[in-house]
Amino acid sequence: MNIAKGRDRQSTGKYTDGYDERKVGFVYDIRMKYHLDLEDLNDPHPEDPRRIYWIHELLGRADCLKLMRQVKVRPVTDAQILRVHTKKHLAFMNDTEIMEKTSLVESQQKLDSVFLCNETNYCARLSAGGLVALCNEVASGKLTSGIAIIRPPGHHACPNRPMGFCLLNNVAIAVRDLQARGVVERVMVVDWDVHHGNGIQEVFYSDKSVLYCSIHRHDSGEFFPSTAEGNIGMVGSGDGKGFNVNIPWVTGGMGDGDYVYAFNNVVLPIAREFRPDMVIVASGFDAAICDPIGECDVSPECYACMTSMLSSVANQRLVLSLEGGYNLDATSNSALACVKALLNLGWKSGFTPKPATYHAYATLSDWEINGVPMPHPKYSPDWLALPEWDPAIEVPDCFNSEPSELGKAVVDQV
């Protein structure tokens, strides 16, 4: 299958050719769904190809896409990849395009939580290329902000190897591309995926031009990626000392109050001191309520709140890049919340649809596994019903939530 010949445009948003008054952008390309786990096609992997489809579909139903501009996705080049990854890693990725199935399965079994197919390399290039394109539109001032609805994710990918569902480090490639073009100097990367972004940290650990701040479950090194790299004491080295900030939760169950407390006491103060030209969020939604892997309790309102707070940094130059998130309901609702905040539609203007039931992987019998067909007309779950906006409510409840004792203790040590 030559997926490079597929359609690039998959929504009502226009490409960025010529003038368009819409200032919040997005990238999405259905071809990214072709990155699949070949070991068991009947049992969806947690990094489910439908994740991007569900987000895009919900944004359309909520009438957000018509308020946004779609940025065309182009695969990243070898040169862009090599600013972050080694030649050996690039050669391995290229080789996957011609491997037989048995070789692909054998190769992935030697890696740490990665699956491969012949389309993997192209999908990974599309994923990173989509973020690169969106970031350049925002950095150049053509857009104010945006969201990259992309997969496979990237924040675990190290310079010399893929890991943790990640093949190419999307965020790191985008940052290096921006800097190479000379459109920004200082970039802040906020990683609110429930897992520590060890790959991003490794790339920028000695670089004072990139401030990396990660809020993640660490569980004394027992939570994936199960290393000491996510500790509080990992603050950077050489010129980058002090520019790497980890906020490691010691257990699951962390919620809105913990994240807002971390933002108010660590994230925003260091952001204002650093004064970045742009903020990129490694936006995993696996800390969301009822995510089966993250097991935390962050609400859609809280994701919107954090998005809004980051909009106050870097003259609103803000891009969210999808990382994890393994409950389709929770992930799509959380992404919708963030987009509503980017569009400045008000705290309660329909970005908090509450699922009647959250359930792991949220499979739908009427859809094929990769989510290409539209939902069956009879499928109309309660969680798609968007509530009316109460203009009297200006601040989400989560903003006033109290942190847990454990969460406060961690943040106060940073």
Side-chain angles (χ1 to χ4, degrees):
M1 181 185 299
N2 185 359
I3 62 173
K5 294 182 179 179
R7 294 179 65 196
D8 280 328
R9 185 176 177 184
Q10 297 290 341
S11 76
T12 56
K14 294 181 180 179
Y15 288 147
T16 55
D17 300 327
Y19 175 77
D20 193 316
E21 63 181 5
R22 291 171 290 186
K23 300 298 287 182
V24 177
F26 73 98
V27 292
Y28 173 78
D29 193 312
I30 196 65
R31 292 176 294 173
M32 295 179 203
K33 72 164 191 160
Y34 289 114
H35 169 57
L36 295 169
D37 183 4
L38 298 178
E39 286 198 277
D40 191 349
L41 293 175
N42 295 315
D43 182 16
H45 188 279
E47 206 284 281
D48 191 323
R50 291 172 297 177
R51 296 190 316 126
I52 58 172
Y53 178 82
W54 273 53
I55 293 173
H56 184 264
E57 177 69 9
L58 186 55
L59 293 180
R61 291 189 184 194
D63 290 330
C64 290
L65 294 182
K66 66 183 182 182
L67 303 175
M68 304 169 73
R69 287 169 60 191
Q70 185 173 13
V71 177
K72 188 173 183 178
V73 176
R74 296 181 177 87
V76 285
T77 64
D78 288 359
Q80 289 171 313
I81 293 172
L82 289 172
R83 293 191 185 114
V84 171
H85 295 284
T86 63
K87 291 182 179 180
K88 183 177 180 180
H89 180 71
L90 175 61
F92 170 76
M93 292 295 296
N94 289 337
D95 287 346
T96 61
E97 295 184 356
I98 57 174
M99 288 182 183
E100 298 292 334
K101 179 179 177 180
T102 54
S103 297
L104 287 165
V105 173
E106 289 174 1
S107 295
Q108 73 182 41
Q109 289 174 346
K110 297 176 182 177
L111 298 170
D112 187 354
S113 305
V114 172
F115 59 87
L116 303 168
C117 66
N118 292 134
E119 291 74 27
T120 291
N121 187 41
Y122 190 74
C123 292
R125 285 175 181 259
L126 283 176
S127 184
L131 180 59
V132 165
L134 179 59
C135 286
N136 274 286
E137 293 293 296
V138 172
S140 67
K142 295 178 181 178
L143 296 170
T144 58
S145 59
I147 183 170
I149 311 167
I150 56 176
R151 68 174 293 272
H155 74 149
H156 292 306
C158 299
N160 63 346
R161 68 191 186 281
M163 68 175 293
F165 310 165
C166 302
L167 286 306
L168 297 176
N169 200 308
N170 304 323
V171 169
I173 291 172
V175 171
R176 288 301 188 220
D177 185 79
L178 290 169
Q179 292 178 328
R181 293 174 185 268
V183 291
V184 301
E185 294 182 4
R186 297 182 307 280
V187 179
M188 181 178 188
V189 177
V190 177
D191 190 339
W192 64 44
D193 188 284
V194 78
H195 302 95
H196 178 242
N198 58 295
I200 299 177
Q201 175 172 295
E202 182 176 342
V203 173
F204 300 119
Y205 200 64
S206 59
D207 188 341
K208 65 180 181 180
S209 71
V210 179
L211 173 61
Y212 177 65
C213 181
S214 176
I215 308 175
H216 55 271
R217 275 190 67 178
H218 188 58
D219 297 24
S220 301
E222 296 298 318
F223 199 73
F224 191 87
S226 305
T227 69
E229 294 175 0
N231 284 335
I232 289 177
M234 301 297 288
V235 297
S237 65
D239 289 342
K241 189 172 183 179
F243 294 88
N244 193 88
V245 180
N246 286 320
I247 304 174
W249 303 136
V250 296
T251 185
M254 311 309 285
D256 293 359
D258 302 301
Y259 279 77
V260 171
Y261 187 80
F263 260 64
N264 282 330
N265 290 277
V266 177
V267 179
L268 291 181
I270 62 175
R272 290 169 183 143
E273 183 176 349
F274 182 63
R275 295 189 301 169
D277 300 313
M278 187 170 177
V279 178
I280 301 176
V281 180
S283 183
F285 295 116
D286 40 6
I289 296 170
C290 288
D291 186 277
I293 293 179
E295 298 179 326
C296 286
D297 294 312
V298 179
S299 70
E301 294 98 327
C302 186
Y303 281 116
C305 183
M306 293 189 292
T307 300
S308 183
M309 286 192 279
L310 289 176
S311 295
S312 68
V313 180
N315 294 318
Q316 296 187 328
R317 286 179 167 181
L318 174 64
V319 171
L320 276 57
S321 179
L322 181 64
E323 294 286 351
Y326 308 107
N327 178 311
L328 300 180
D329 287 341
T331 297
S332 54
N333 280 306
S334 299
L336 174 60
C338 293
V339 168
K340 289 280 187 172
L342 292 178
L343 291 169
N344 197 29
L345 293 178
W347 288 110
K348 293 292 183 179
S349 60
F351 64 47
T352 57
K354 291 180 172 58
T357 56
Y358 275 120
H359 49 289
Y361 314 135
T363 55
L364 292 175
S365 59
D366 290 333
W367 294 14
E368 71 178 53
I369 190 170
N370 296 326
V372 175
M374 294 294 287
H376 192 281
K378 70 180 181 182
Y379 180 72
S380 54
D382 293 340
W383 61 269
L384 283 176
L386 304 180
E388 295 294 325
W389 177 32
D390 180 354
I393 301 176
E394 297 180 354
V395 178
D397 295 337
C398 69
F399 194 82
N400 296 317
S401 300
E402 292 294 326
S404 65
E405 290 185 9
L406 286 174
K408 185 176 185 298
V410 169
V411 174
D412 288 347
Q413 293 179 60
V414 177

